[in-house]
Amino acid sequence: MDRGDVGRAGSRPMVVRVPVEPVEAAVEADAADAHARAGDVVVRGPVFGVAAQGPGDGPRWRVLSAVTSGCPQQARDGLNSLLWFRAKDDAHDRAERRALLAAVARLEGGRVDELAVAGTRYRIVRAEEYAVTVPGGGMEGPRPTDPEPPVPDWSRVAAGPDVDDGLVLDPDAPVTPAQAVEQLALRGLSYAGGRFPQDVRSDSRQALAGHPDVLLLPPSFTIVERTAGGWTPVNGPHASAHAARRALDFSLTWMWPRLRGLIAYDADLHTDARTVAAAGAAFAGPPAAELAEYAAAADRLRAGGRVNRLEFQGSVYEIARTRRLVRWGPDGPEGPRPSDADTQDPARLHPPLDEDGRVLPDG
């Protein structure tokens, strides 16, 4: 990746506001400390979501589906479902339902990245996901001022905000000095070098001209594993560091034992490494001994407060603070590029509806 020239013409004016409220000031000081010790920017690649702009939104776009999908078609499928359920449950009249179902039909028949329905524009939004290295070769972890629950809830059914819940993309919103520095430093970020295909590099250069500004999305948190080639994402992203820890706890006690044949996949849903370890002699044998190791690792995760690094069976897992930026142009957020690859084709996802919202039988 190439950071390029941050003095590019045609950029939108940036309003910088210095935080004065104590909590905001602490967050800003924390960000300044993080910038001072930051190493390289590590770009994972593009992610995609859905945003909408209504008649009264001005330049703002509301995120309807988290900008976390791995390819554009996954986000298009999310928009397909969103519009289908609106047609089924929320349409005010037949005319609106027909318009929504016409949009669904377009999404089923091709790779549509933008459409308008009843005065609202819907767009597939592209973001670049990245992280920052720190001294010692690791990834930046959660910051002291990142939100944490007063009392950690480790329940598997614990409710919490999802990534990008209620997020509004506002190019005119004031930013703090630390945010301004990061936006300016990344404004010229582009794909460069022979390891990227020519079409990827070309699209990246065109994006700098067509969408010269960047907006930073809220941080997310991803479980990563140290490998010979660096760090590999294991699970995420999550809206908070604790949500990532809870996901790692679930992987250690429930998911990985099933995937690795230590617990039968059709076992009772409440059976996990902890229940087997607690049963003791009733589950004697090699699997029980190994499951006790899984339970002990999960217990270390819970017992250590805000644990952001865990060693288990020769692997090192960390909670990485992952970030995303959206390129912004005169008409709003950037959409998918021609070189962005899809892993699936458009398809019909839901049964047909009649004009009154009733589900019709297939065929």
Side-chain angles (χ1 to χ4, degrees):
M1 300 294 288
D2 182 2
R3 298 199 187 190
D5 172 19
V6 299
R8 201 167 289 278
S11 297
R12 203 177 183 95
M14 184 182 298
V15 179
V16 180
R17 181 180 65 83
V18 177
V20 293
E21 191 272 329
V23 173
E24 288 184 325
V27 172
E28 179 70 1
D30 201 11
D33 290 343
H35 288 174
R37 62 177 180 270
D40 295 325
V41 174
V42 181
V43 178
R44 183 184 177 193
V47 287
F48 304 88
V50 178
Q53 184 185 58
D57 289 334
R60 297 177 296 277
W61 289 74
R62 294 169 285 110
V63 174
L64 304 181
S65 175
V67 189
T68 56
S69 296
C71 75
Q73 189 57 44
Q74 291 176 359
R76 295 183 198 111
D77 287 348
L79 177 57
N80 181 325
S81 291
L82 184 149
L83 296 178
W84 188 88
F85 279 104
R86 284 192 177 171
K88 177 177 178 291
D89 301 324
D90 299 326
H92 293 95
D93 51 40
R94 287 183 170 183
E96 182 179 356
R97 184 170 289 112
R98 282 195 297 268
L100 288 164
L101 292 176
V104 169
R106 288 187 61 197
L107 289 162
E108 291 174 346
R111 302 184 191 281
V112 179
D113 293 327
E114 181 165 348
L115 45 77
V117 184
T120 297
R121 299 170 69 191
Y122 297 90
R123 179 177 295 177
I124 305 304
V125 174
R126 181 190 197 277
E128 207 74 65
E129 187 177 33
Y130 66 100
V132 175
T133 63
V134 295
M139 309 297 292
E140 182 189 10
R143 296 175 183 173
T145 50
D146 284 329
E148 295 274 5
V151 179
D153 185 350
W154 295 95
S155 168
R156 290 177 192 154
V157 296
D162 293 325
V163 174
D164 296 340
D165 259 7
L167 178 63
V168 175
L169 304 178
D170 185 354
D172 296 327
V175 297
T176 70
Q179 291 170 335
V181 167
E182 188 167 353
Q183 286 187 204
L184 289 171
L186 295 173
R187 185 176 280 176
L189 192 71
S190 64
Y191 289 91
R195 68 190 184 96
F196 298 106
Q198 172 60 35
D199 60 341
V200 171
R201 300 198 305 270
S202 176
D203 286 349
S204 189
R205 289 192 298 270
Q206 292 180 34
L208 296 181
H211 297 81
D213 295 309
V214 298
L215 266 64
L216 303 180
L217 302 190
S220 53
F221 302 87
T222 300
I223 304 166
V224 295
E225 179 184 2
R226 183 189 289 275
T227 63
W231 294 91
T232 300
V234 173
N235 188 291
H238 300 276
S240 69
H242 180 69
R245 295 184 200 107
R246 189 169 59 231
L248 181 55
D249 178 272
F250 175 75
S251 295
L252 285 164
T253 58
W254 199 95
M255 182 58 69
W256 292 349
R258 282 167 169 77
L259 290 176
R260 297 168 185 177
L262 301 175
I263 294 177
Y265 218 93
D266 57 354
D268 181 273
L269 291 178
H270 299 290
T271 300
D272 63 12
R274 283 195 178 91
T275 62
V276 172
F283 286 87
E290 190 168 355
L291 286 168
E293 296 178 13
Y294 282 76
D299 290 344
R300 294 197 302 274
L301 189 65
R302 293 191 181 195
R306 299 178 179 180
V307 174
N308 297 320
R309 185 178 188 275
L310 182 72
E311 295 187 25
F312 175 63
Q313 292 187 341
S315 295
V316 177
Y317 300 94
E318 290 192 3
I319 309 299
R321 191 179 198 269
T322 44
R323 314 185 206 179
R324 295 159 296 153
L325 65 85
V326 171
R327 300 207 69 88
W328 200 274
D331 193 37
E334 182 186 17
R337 299 173 185 174
S339 58
D340 288 328
D342 275 314
T343 58
Q344 59 207 63
D345 293 323
R348 188 174 132 195
L349 305 178
H350 302 284
L353 300 175
D354 68 12
E355 289 190 336
D356 295 313
R358 291 187 291 262
V359 176
L360 298 174
D362 284 328

